[in-house]
Amino acid sequence: MDSQFKETFGSWTQAIGTVISAVGGTPSNVLDEDFRKNLDLIGNELQATGNAILADSEDTWSLNKFGNQIQAIGNSTVILGLVIDFDEVTKKELIIKGNLIQALGGGTAVAGAYENPDEPEQALNVTGNMLQAIGNSMQAIGGISELRNSILEKDQESDEDETQDEDDEDKEEGNEEGKQKYQYPDLEEKPTDGELIQTMGGWIQAVGSVLNLIGQLRSNSESQSDDEPA
């Protein structure tokens, strides 16, 4: 495969992966949670593959190549958090770290775009990489909020269990409100602030990757025009 084909194929793969991952990360009444998690996993696998191909398309070392390698590592870390059977806190910590690593890679790629200021469609590449870095940062921030809520809920459940053990005699008389809470497990729950931030971040990242793809396609078109005989 020549470098241009690798760049194009890698850009398409990365863009498709970010969109699929954004869909998987969007709260929905139509798609169940397990299906959305699978979409997120597939999306990150495609992103990791696309970033690795983009890094491999450059023969010499550059900030852009390094940025794509970092992003591939970040995606792999997120995948680890999604598939490995760790406790919930550890899984969320891995996903947060993976998004932060991706943000670092996106920022490195932004700096790399300025190495060759005369390249066509530089503005699209800079904007795309910047949006990806912002999107990943938002996903990490939302993940941190969700992690904090999970830890607080776990502590609250522990406190409630201790209280129930101490007040066994009042268990049947009281706690009617608590019973009602678990009587209707299928009630829709509104997305938390952390989930909304993660969703917004996922779509911002997707827009950034699509801009990078457009920049790559336009670059290919200009290269073909230059190669045509006058």
Side-chain angles (χ1 to χ4, degrees):
M1 287 193 292
D2 65 349
S3 295
Q4 191 178 79
F5 179 81
K6 284 183 181 180
E7 288 175 351
T8 305
F9 184 69
S11 295
W12 269 109
T13 305
Q14 185 200 42
I16 292 169
T18 53
V19 172
I20 290 175
S21 184
V23 173
T26 303
S28 170
N29 296 326
V30 178
L31 306 176
D32 61 56
E33 188 175 354
D34 287 339
F35 183 72
R36 288 193 293 110
K37 282 184 177 178
N38 287 333
L39 284 179
D40 194 16
L41 175 61
I42 292 168
N44 274 284
E45 288 172 343
L46 288 173
Q47 288 177 63
T49 303
N51 284 317
I53 292 171
L54 285 169
D56 187 56
S57 68
E58 299 189 43
D59 296 328
T60 58
W61 188 92
S62 67
L63 284 174
N64 191 53
K65 180 183 181 76
F66 188 46
N68 284 315
Q69 289 173 334
I70 293 173
Q71 284 181 301
I73 293 170
N75 287 123
S76 300
T77 306
V78 172
I79 292 168
L80 192 64
L82 290 171
V83 300
I84 301 297
D85 190 20
F86 292 135
D87 61 89
E88 198 63 27
V89 171
T90 304
K91 288 166 77 74
K92 287 183 177 180
E93 285 177 344
L94 281 170
I95 293 171
I96 290 167
K97 289 174 182 176
N99 283 316
L100 288 173
I101 292 170
Q102 287 182 70
L104 176 62
T108 305
V110 170
Y114 289 102
E115 288 182 328
N116 300 301
D118 297 329
E119 280 191 355
E121 314 307 333
Q122 184 205 23
L124 279 172
N125 292 328
V126 170
T127 305
N129 285 319
M130 195 174 294
L131 286 175
Q132 289 200 63
I134 292 170
N136 285 128
S137 299
M138 289 179 67
Q139 287 178 298
I141 291 169
I144 291 169
S145 176
E146 284 294 288
L147 177 60
R148 187 181 294 115
N149 289 338
S150 295
I151 293 172
L152 288 174
E153 285 176 8
K154 190 172 288 187
D155 291 342
Q156 190 176 5
E157 287 175 3
S158 299
D159 292 341
E160 286 176 359
D161 289 342
E162 290 176 7
T163 304
Q164 285 177 0
D165 290 340
E166 292 173 0
D167 300 333
D168 264 350
E169 295 177 1
D170 301 327
K171 189 176 181 182
E172 293 181 3
E173 297 176 7
N175 260 345
E176 285 303 321
E177 188 177 340
K179 289 180 182 178
Q180 290 176 5
K181 178 181 177 183
Y182 293 102
Q183 236 174 348
Y184 307 101
D186 296 328
L187 284 177
E188 293 180 9
E189 292 184 2
K190 290 184 178 180
T192 63
D193 290 341
E195 288 175 331
L196 290 175
I197 293 171
Q198 286 178 302
T199 300
M200 290 174 59
W203 283 108
I204 289 172
Q205 183 191 4
V207 171
S209 67
V210 171
L211 288 179
N212 282 343
L213 172 60
I214 294 171
Q216 180 60 45
L217 294 177
R218 287 188 178 180
S219 177
N220 292 349
S221 178
E222 291 195 16
S223 296
Q224 289 173 1
S225 298
D226 293 340
D227 291 340
E228 289 178 0

